[in-house]
């Protein structure tokens, strides 16, 4: 995401450059003023912003991959030119990176922390944002997001206004390690371009192999899905930088041989192929594509072709990329990238309308320009005074650390009752506390015994099945069953519907196996359950799948036809949709904190799914229905509070407090059937 404004480089004061021959100097001058590279940065940032603004560009997120290739090319070229002139030093290189990247990012992080305090919920959201800011300034934003948000395309990542810093951390880690690796190729390869290319090629190939292995791996790395590790980690992204680095080594070798740049047919063909690949990318790739998998080759090759086209000669594509609108956008690309995502997330949080992301993305151009004009440009030019740069970087980073920790500690106490709600939010239900909500792992047969709550001299047993919304009822249902003298098997799967042919979810690789095991246990065992209680997250499924909830019918019919009564528990009020960027039922920050919401507003987005859910489950003979809606809504207002305590874990799942609040109702509903 960095912008080097045409590859201009700062020099170490007091060091005389080596004298090069006139042709080589002319070629290097041409190569160090590649306006088309800035134009390519413009394409990359526009791809990302359009995608984040929810406009129809399904593979816009691949703009980040374009940035990675550019960065590998530019930084390698800078290092090689400085080295060939005798001016390269590790200390000055890192100082330039600090001065170039840190000031603008620190300003953005401090602004986001302030906005988080003002507008994000102090019940979790502020702490998440602060944690990401803290990690970002310590060059570890990608690892923080891997551990907190996980899947880049999931709701957790979308709700964080600092999700975009993952790629900045990957780049910073590249800048930290790559010069050292490049120096090894100088030392052991005696500086030859061929030995450098071989060394870089081997590293690039190793990274690519690791990336492919993890992208398609059906296993976990320290509890994280392998595919998420492939997405966020720098070792699995290094091959993209490596492709750019190899191009730069080739370009430096070409300059040394005094190649001319008069050809036009080849650059036109290469540039056209690169643009065609970017178009193809957005026709074939979307957020369901494994990434970075094989498909990531497309934007990497496209970028390499466009860079190569501008390297071997002139042509119309290079002239377009070198035009003023492209170059200006490229110069601003770092600031645009920094500011666009926080603007979209915060604006959507305050004004959750379909057009908000577009307007916010456009508005973000203002702080981006101000950042470029008054932060980036003044601080990037001038002599490199190493002690001052490193001291200034430490002070700037320390400021963010202090601000982030302050927000995490003091944020909830600045809003009445928020600190208490923050503590109550984490009250875990039976399934979450005992690992009986299968999540971030696969279902195992041993889960049956581990997730059975047994009562002495039980009259029978009750099965709880479904997804995490069914699990949210586990504490209340188990207590109700105990009072009635029944044991309870509470075994559910995150994002797993009760369907034999259920597809894997992002959190559970074998949802279909889990559903089949539960149905077999109920209908084919010698000890069938006295009752099966089912629940599902109707709103999310109805929004993305036109066949839902009709898909639930076969399982309900299979149970009832086997003579097993079913109690279907309707979904509770959802206090937001995933598109509203809310992590908790209570919304707003210091300026606009509120927990209640009008029932009319809730039904505006949940009413259709509720009606569809009701129509399907009531059409199956033998299925009874319990609707907990009235426990949280009084006809005018819906509240996530029960007796003054927060009853929700997030904006749609009950916590232990909410689940316990349904105990009496569940006892009545279950008792009426048994």
């Amino acid at each position: 995401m960095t912008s080097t404004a045409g590859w201009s480089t700062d020099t170490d004061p007091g060091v005389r450059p080596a004298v090069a021959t006139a042709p080589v100097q002319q070629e290097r001058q041409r190569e160090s003023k590649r306006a088309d590279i800035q134009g390519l940065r413009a394409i990359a940032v526009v791809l990302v912003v359009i995608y984040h603004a929810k406009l129809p560009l399904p593979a816009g997120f691949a703009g980040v991959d374009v940035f990675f290739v550019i960065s590998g090319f530019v930084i390698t070229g800078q290092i090689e030119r400085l080295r060939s002139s005798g001016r390269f030093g590790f200390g000055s290189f890192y100082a330039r990176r600090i001065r170039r990247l840190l000031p603008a990012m620190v300003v953005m992080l401090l602004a986001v922390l302030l906005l988080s305090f003002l507008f994000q919920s102090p019940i979790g959201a502020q702490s998440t944002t602060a944690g990401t800011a803290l990690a970002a300034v310590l060059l570890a934003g990608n690892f923080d997001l891997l551990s907190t948000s996980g899947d880049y395309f999931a709701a957790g990542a979308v709700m964080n206004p600092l999700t975009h810093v993952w790629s900045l951390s990957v780049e910073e880690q590249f800048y930290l390690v790559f010069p050292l690796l490049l120096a090894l190729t100088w030392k052991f390869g005696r500086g030859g371009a061929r030995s450098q290319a071989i060394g870089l090629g081997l590293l690039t190939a190793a990274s690519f192999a690791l990336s492919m292995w993890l992208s398609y791996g059906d296993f976990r790395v320290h509890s994280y899905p392998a595919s998420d590790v492939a997405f966020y980690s720098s070792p699995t992204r290094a091959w993209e930088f490596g492709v750019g680095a190899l191009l730069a080594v080739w370009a430096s070798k070409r300059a040394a041989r005094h190649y001319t740049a008069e050809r036009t047919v080849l650059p036109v063909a290469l540039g056209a192929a690169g643009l065609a690949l970017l178009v193809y990318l957005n026709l074939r790739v979307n957020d369901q594509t494994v990434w970075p998998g094989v498909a990531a080759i497309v934007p990497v090759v496209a970028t390499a072709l466009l860079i190569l086209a501008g390297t071997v000669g002139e042509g119309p594509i290079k002239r377009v990329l070198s035009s003023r609108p492209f170059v200006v956008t490229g110069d601003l690309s770092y600031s645009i990238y920094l500011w666009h995502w926080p603007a979209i997330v915060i604006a959507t949080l305050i004004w959750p309308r379909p057009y908000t992301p577009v307007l916010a993305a456009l508005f973000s151009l203002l702080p981006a320009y101000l950042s470029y004009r008054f932060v980036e440009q003044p601080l990037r030019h001038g002599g490199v005074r190493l002690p001052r740069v490193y001291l200034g970087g430490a002070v700037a980073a320390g400021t963010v650390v202090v601000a982030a920790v302050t927000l995490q500690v003091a944020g909830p106490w600045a809003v009445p009752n928020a600190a208490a709600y923050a503590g109550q939010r984490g009250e875990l239900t039976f399934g979450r506390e005992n690992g009986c909500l299968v999540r971030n792992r696969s279902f195992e047969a041993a889960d049956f015994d581990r997730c059975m709550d047994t009562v002495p001299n039980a009259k029978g047993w009750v099965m709880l099945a479904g997804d995490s919304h069914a699990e949210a009822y586990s504490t209340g249902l188990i207590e109700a069953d105990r009072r009635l003298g029944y044991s309870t098997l509470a075994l559910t799967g995150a994002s797993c519907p009760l369907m034999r042919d259920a597809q894997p979810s992002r959190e559970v690789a074998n949802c279909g196996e889990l559903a089949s095991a539960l149905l077999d246990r109920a209908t084919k065992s010698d000890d069938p359950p006295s009752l099966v209680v089912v629940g599902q997250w109707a709103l999310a499924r109805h929004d993305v799948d036109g066949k839902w909830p009709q898909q639930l019918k076969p399982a309900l019919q299979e149970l009832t036809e086997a003579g097993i009564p079913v109690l279907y528990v309707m979904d509770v009020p959802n206090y937001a949709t995933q598109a509203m960027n809310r992590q908790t039922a209570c919304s707003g920050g210091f300026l606009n904190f509120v927990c209640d919401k009008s029932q009319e507003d809730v039904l505006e987005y949940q009413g259709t799914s509720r009606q569809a859910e009701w129509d399907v489950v009531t059409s199956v003979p033998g299925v009874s229905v319990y609707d907990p809606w009235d426990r949280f809504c009084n006809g005018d207002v819906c509240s996530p509070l029960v007796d003054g305590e927060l009853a929700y874990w997030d904006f749609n799942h009950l916590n232990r407090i909410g689940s316990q609040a349904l105990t009496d109702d569940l006892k009545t509903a279950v008792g009426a059937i048994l």
Side-chain angles (χ1 to χ4, degrees):
M1 257 52 65
T2 62
S3 170
T4 50
W7 293 17
S8 62
T9 59
D10 300 319
T11 60
D12 293 339
V15 178
R16 292 182 61 186
V19 178
T21 62
V24 174
Q25 282 182 323
Q26 292 171 359
E27 183 65 22
R28 285 176 181 162
Q29 187 176 26
R30 282 194 295 268
E31 289 300 319
S32 65
K33 295 181 179 179
R34 289 281 300 274
D36 62 310
I37 295 295
Q38 292 304 93
L40 194 50
R41 291 184 188 280
I43 290 178
V45 78
V46 168
L47 286 173
V48 173
V49 173
I50 289 178
Y51 174 76
H52 283 158
K54 301 186 184 302
L55 293 174
L57 196 66
F61 57 86
V64 169
D65 302 81
V66 175
F67 274 124
F68 288 165
V69 179
I70 295 173
S71 292
F73 180 70
V74 170
I75 292 301
T76 305
Q78 286 182 347
I79 292 174
E80 287 297 319
R81 286 191 299 278
L82 289 170
R83 172 177 170 267
S84 65
S85 62
R87 295 177 294 158
F88 177 76
F90 287 105
S92 58
F93 173 82
Y94 293 130
R96 278 191 292 273
R97 293 298 90 201
I98 290 172
R99 194 176 57 180
R100 173 68 188 90
L101 300 175
L102 188 61
M105 184 171 70
V106 164
V107 171
M108 181 274 294
L109 291 175
L110 291 174
V112 170
L113 289 172
L114 175 60
L115 291 171
S116 176
F117 172 69
L118 296 177
F119 298 111
Q120 279 196 296
S121 173
I123 310 174
Q126 288 182 6
S127 181
T128 299
T129 299
T132 305
L134 181 63
V137 82
L138 298 177
L139 313 186
N142 53 332
F143 298 117
D144 173 81
L145 288 156
L146 171 64
S147 63
T148 57
S149 300
D151 186 354
Y152 176 79
F153 303 103
V158 173
M159 295 175 186
N160 189 335
L162 293 176
T163 294
H164 66 319
V165 303
W166 78 268
S167 62
L168 302 179
S169 292
V170 168
E171 286 210 17
E172 289 154 358
Q173 291 158 18
F174 167 75
Y175 298 142
L176 187 65
V177 175
F178 180 71
L180 302 174
L181 296 176
L182 199 59
L184 290 177
T185 67
W186 301 338
K187 181 176 178 63
F188 295 105
R190 297 181 181 179
R194 181 178 180 182
S195 61
Q196 281 184 281
I198 292 174
L200 288 173
L202 290 174
L203 291 171
T204 300
S207 170
F208 178 78
L210 178 64
S211 181
M212 295 303 105
W213 178 54
L214 291 176
S215 292
Y216 295 98
D218 184 17
F219 58 91
R220 310 188 80 79
V221 180
H222 294 296
S223 80
Y224 306 121
S227 57
D228 289 352
V229 175
F231 187 95
Y232 285 110
S233 67
S234 48
T236 56
R237 294 292 191 152
W239 69 275
E240 302 180 39
F241 295 93
V243 170
L246 287 168
L247 272 175
V249 170
W250 175 85
S252 66
K253 181 179 178 181
R254 169 182 173 275
R257 292 185 178 181
H258 307 172
Y259 286 1
T260 62
E262 300 300 323
R263 291 166 291 181
T264 57
V265 175
L266 183 58
V268 169
L270 293 172
L275 292 178
L277 283 176
L278 290 180
V279 173
Y280 171 82
L281 178 74
N282 282 282
L283 295 176
R284 303 292 296 178
V285 171
N286 56 42
D287 59 9
Q288 299 300 311
T289 304
V290 175
W291 200 270
V294 173
I297 296 174
V298 177
V300 171
V301 171
T303 307
L305 289 173
L306 288 165
I307 293 174
L308 188 59
T311 303
V312 300
E314 302 296 326
I317 294 176
K318 183 175 181 178
R319 286 194 292 272
V320 170
L321 291 176
S322 302
S323 63
R324 182 167 177 77
F326 278 83
V327 172
V328 169
T329 304
D331 289 344
L332 289 166
S333 61
Y334 180 52
S335 283
I336 291 174
Y337 186 84
L338 283 176
W339 288 96
H340 84 283
W341 181 244
I344 289 173
V345 173
I346 297 297
T348 303
L349 185 65
I350 301 171
W351 301 288
R353 297 292 183 269
Y355 52 80
T356 298
V358 175
L359 296 180
L362 292 173
F363 173 80
S364 71
L365 296 177
L366 176 59
Y369 172 76
L370 294 176
S371 173
Y372 175 79
R373 174 68 178 81
F374 297 106
V375 180
E376 285 188 58
Q377 291 303 300
L379 294 177
R380 68 177 297 183
H381 296 296
V384 178
R385 296 176 177 85
L386 300 189
R388 182 175 297 180
V389 171
Y390 287 119
L391 178 61
V395 171
T399 302
V400 174
V401 170
V402 171
V405 172
T406 299
L407 181 61
Q408 286 182 317
V409 174
W413 295 97
V415 176
N417 300 318
Y421 296 159
Q424 294 157 5
R425 175 199 178 205
E427 295 280 348
L428 299 179
T429 49
F430 172 88
R432 291 185 184 274
E433 187 173 26
N434 294 280
C436 295
L437 170 65
V438 180
R439 182 173 181 268
N440 293 333
R441 66 178 179 88
S442 295
F443 156 72
E444 301 171 353
D447 290 327
F448 278 108
D449 292 334
R450 188 166 50 80
C451 296
M452 176 70 80
D453 178 79
T454 304
V455 300
N457 303 315
K459 302 175 184 177
W461 63 282
V462 174
M463 174 187 289
L464 175 63
D467 60 11
S468 58
H469 278 232
E471 188 285 321
Y473 304 129
S474 61
T475 299
L477 178 64
I478 288 172
E479 180 59 30
D481 292 342
R482 286 174 179 172
R483 295 179 186 179
L484 293 168
Y486 287 82
S487 299
T488 307
L489 171 64
L491 180 57
T492 56
S495 301
C496 289
L498 187 61
M499 298 162 45
R500 287 190 179 274
D501 59 349
Q503 297 300 305
S505 71
R506 294 189 185 275
E507 295 134 313
V508 183
N510 57 347
C511 285
E513 184 181 343
L514 169 60
S516 295
L518 288 168
L519 290 171
D520 287 345
R521 180 69 175 268
T523 61
K524 299 179 181 180
S525 71
D526 296 332
D527 180 27
S530 304
L531 171 69
V532 174
V533 179
V534 179
Q536 299 284 168
W537 189 11
L539 174 59
R541 293 193 179 281
H542 188 268
D543 282 348
V544 301
D545 192 340
K547 298 178 181 178
W548 186 264
Q550 291 292 336
Q551 294 169 319
L552 186 60
K553 251 186 172 182
L556 299 179
Q557 291 172 333
E558 180 179 350
L559 291 167
T560 56
E561 288 172 2
I564 301 171
V566 174
L567 174 65
Y568 189 89
V569 182
M570 296 283 289
D571 203 4
V572 294
N574 289 200
Y575 289 87
T577 66
Q578 294 185 77
M580 293 180 181
N581 293 353
R582 283 176 53 175
Q583 294 178 330
T584 58
C586 298
S587 64
F590 180 76
L591 292 182
N592 59 342
F593 183 77
V594 64
C595 289
D596 293 350
K597 192 167 188 175
S598 75
Q599 179 170 286
E600 181 180 0
D601 288 345
V602 176
L603 289 175
E604 183 178 348
Y605 53 78
Q606 196 176 352
T608 302
S609 64
R610 271 180 57 78
Q611 188 61 53
E613 185 182 27
W614 176 269
D615 290 343
V616 168
V617 299
T618 55
S619 69
V620 180
V623 175
S624 303
V625 180
Y626 163 57
D627 187 357
W629 189 270
D630 291 343
R631 189 66 184 82
F632 302 97
C633 299
N634 61 12
D636 295 320
V637 175
C638 296
S639 174
L641 305 178
V642 172
D643 298 328
E645 294 185 317
L646 184 62
Y648 276 67
W649 177 68
D650 58 10
F651 65 88
N652 59 92
H653 291 90
L654 296 179
N655 60 13
R656 183 182 59 81
I657 296 170
S659 188
Q660 284 180 327
L662 301 181
T663 299
D664 290 341
D665 289 351
L666 286 169
K667 178 176 178 291
T668 300
V670 171
I673 299 171
L674 298 177

